[in-house]
Amino acid sequence: MPISAADWRTFFSLSVKHDSKLVEGYIRFVESCERKGLPPIFEERHLAHLIGIPYSEISYFFSVAPGRYRTFTIPKRRGGRREINVPTPLLLAIQQWILRNILYKLPMSDFAHGGVPRRSILTNAGAHLGAKAVLRIDLKQFFDTVELPLGIRIFEAAGYSPKVSRSLALLCFESGRLPQGAATSSALANLAAISLDNRLSKLSSKFELTYTRYVDDLTFSGRSIGPSFISAVEGVVEQCRFIVNSEKTQLARGRSPKFVTGVSVGGDRLKIPRAFKRDVRNQAFQITKRGVQIHLEATGSTDPLIIEKVLGKLAFWLQIEPDSAAARKLFEELSSYRRTISTDIQLPPPRRIIQITNAPADEFTRG
């Protein structure tokens, strides 16, 4: 149960008897946190106590020492590779506490839909349903653009002291930037982009357009969008110290297919793209009719979670189109097949072996 401001006043009055101004300063801070629904944090040891982790364990993460993250790369959908930084289990638990108890309590932009509770791909796409023109602009290296000093200022703006704000930020950043893979990165990026969202919303209103952002994907829609508006958007993005990936800018007008975060918005209701349906329908059919082992061998895949991934795609299809009899039938058939197979399927041999470098021993003893 959170400690009330009255209880804190009693505690400080007894602990700091000869400095009434200091006590009043503490109480004002506690009352401010109470109004915002935030936990008052006075120092690193107090933070460790609130999270429920010994200070000797959490102190390691108040630094930039190596071993806090495991780094690997994954292929991007449109080419190239994306670096992912996965925090150790203990650091992940700490970040999840910060996310739940601090970041989710801070006011988010009304235009952000990714990494925001009760918002999703559906709410993002739904805002543009039936638009005659859809403009999609991608932000380059979005997380990398948000640097540690900005993260510190976000926590300071929440009301925490400079020292505590720096400690909280260090738990969320790696090498001075937001790591892709940390639990707190999306929320911090959204908070860092509030000014960008507000300015782009005002600009869109002048052109009678709708604006939303899903992480690093900016979407604008309306009756008509021209080159002057695109140039204006690029100027605002640059002024807010973000970077436009001009190679991915897409403008769909007239009868051109219109997609927002992978969902078709050109008609009177949200729809799954035909190519997506064709692909997931084929995968589900091949797995249930030929068996998962034969399907993996035929496609050259060694993915042990292939069934779960296809089921996830079918669930997404049903989320967008809940009345789809085809998606419902495929989901039920694949779910039934999943229950009949053993868990020790012999997968094809891997096509390559990835060598894992030795990590510091502390990473595992502290995780």
Side-chain angles (χ1 to χ4, degrees):
M1 180 181 296
I3 301 175
S4 68
D7 291 334
W8 278 115
R9 180 178 292 277
T10 301
F11 170 78
F12 285 122
S13 298
L14 295 173
S15 303
V16 193
K17 298 179 180 179
H18 306 295
D19 197 334
S20 59
K21 290 185 178 180
L22 183 60
V23 171
E24 287 305 316
Y26 282 143
I27 295 303
R28 283 196 299 271
F29 168 63
V30 170
E31 290 175 342
S32 174
C33 289
E34 198 171 66
R35 287 192 298 270
K36 299 173 183 176
L38 299 173
I41 304 171
F42 297 99
E43 59 175 0
E44 290 179 350
R45 291 183 181 275
H46 183 215
L47 174 61
H49 173 74
L50 291 173
I51 298 176
I53 297 174
Y55 180 72
S56 59
E57 293 292 324
I58 197 173
S59 61
Y60 172 76
F61 299 109
F62 292 124
S63 69
V64 293
R68 304 192 315 158
Y69 292 82
R70 300 167 189 170
T71 302
F72 58 93
T73 62
I74 60 173
K76 294 182 180 180
R77 186 176 59 181
R78 298 181 182 178
R81 301 194 68 83
R82 187 187 308 278
E83 182 176 281
I84 303 297
N85 304 100
V86 178
T88 60
L90 180 56
L91 181 55
L92 177 61
I94 294 169
Q95 291 172 348
Q96 289 171 336
W97 186 94
I98 294 172
L99 182 66
R100 290 192 308 270
N101 294 279
I102 299 178
L103 298 179
Y104 277 167
K105 303 293 182 64
L106 303 179
M108 294 280 183
S109 163
D110 292 336
F111 310 100
H113 290 259
V116 181
R118 294 177 295 281
R119 301 181 203 171
S120 65
I121 287 174
L122 273 70
T123 60
N124 185 62
H128 305 279
L129 186 62
K132 302 298 182 183
V134 174
L135 170 66
R136 293 163 52 197
I137 292 180
D138 180 79
L139 297 181
K140 190 176 183 179
Q141 298 176 335
F142 181 53
F143 283 6
D144 287 346
T145 309
V146 182
E147 299 180 340
L148 180 63
L150 180 53
I152 295 173
R153 291 200 296 273
I154 289 173
F155 286 111
E156 287 180 341
Y160 294 109
S161 70
K163 185 175 182 180
V164 169
S165 295
R166 179 174 176 80
S167 297
L168 287 167
L170 285 172
L171 294 170
C172 305
F173 283 72
E174 173 72 355
S175 300
R177 289 175 170 78
L178 283 180
Q180 293 200 38
T184 46
S185 288
S186 291
L188 282 168
N190 282 332
L191 291 165
I194 285 179
S195 176
L196 172 69
D197 288 338
N198 290 337
R199 294 185 62 178
L200 289 177
S201 172
K202 291 178 181 178
L203 176 65
S204 299
S205 296
K206 291 181 180 179
F207 284 80
E208 299 182 346
L209 300 173
T210 298
Y211 163 68
T212 64
R213 179 178 56 79
Y214 192 88
V215 191
D216 55 0
D217 291 330
L218 313 181
T219 304
F220 307 85
S221 68
R223 293 183 60 84
S224 177
I225 299 175
S228 61
F229 178 75
I230 298 176
S231 298
V233 170
E234 292 174 344
V236 170
V237 171
E238 183 178 347
Q239 291 167 16
C240 292
R241 299 186 178 182
F242 290 97
I243 306 168
V244 170
N245 188 348
S246 56
E247 294 180 356
K248 293 186 178 181
T249 297
Q250 295 183 349
L251 175 59
R253 295 182 291 190
R255 296 185 178 181
S256 299
K258 300 171 184 68
F259 302 103
V260 176
T261 46
V263 180
S264 175
V265 299
D268 58 355
R269 59 192 179 99
L270 299 178
K271 294 182 179 180
I272 292 293
R274 291 180 181 178
F276 180 97
K277 291 181 180 179
R278 186 165 53 250
D279 177 65
V280 69
R281 184 186 292 115
N282 180 62
Q283 288 192 71
F285 178 81
Q286 294 297 333
I287 291 173
T288 54
K289 299 305 178 183
R290 302 170 62 187
V292 64
Q293 284 185 237
I294 295 176
H295 176 70
L296 288 171
E297 292 171 357
T299 58
S301 173
T302 58
D303 189 353
L305 299 176
I306 184 64
I307 296 179
E308 285 71 16
K309 289 181 178 179
V310 176
L311 284 171
K313 291 179 180 179
L314 288 168
F316 176 65
W317 182 351
L318 286 168
Q319 187 179 15
I320 304 296
E321 301 178 15
D323 298 329
S324 173
R328 178 68 60 188
K329 180 181 178 181
L330 289 169
F331 185 88
E332 291 174 353
E333 289 179 350
L334 188 57
S335 297
S336 297
Y337 171 77
R338 180 68 183 88
R339 289 191 291 268
T340 64
I341 64 174
S342 68
T343 57
D344 57 349
I345 294 175
Q346 297 297 315
L347 298 176
R351 284 171 288 178
R352 64 180 183 272
I353 298 175
I354 302 175
Q355 184 175 359
I356 301 176
T357 57
N358 292 328
D362 276 355
E363 177 182 352
F364 303 100
T365 58
R366 294 178 184 278

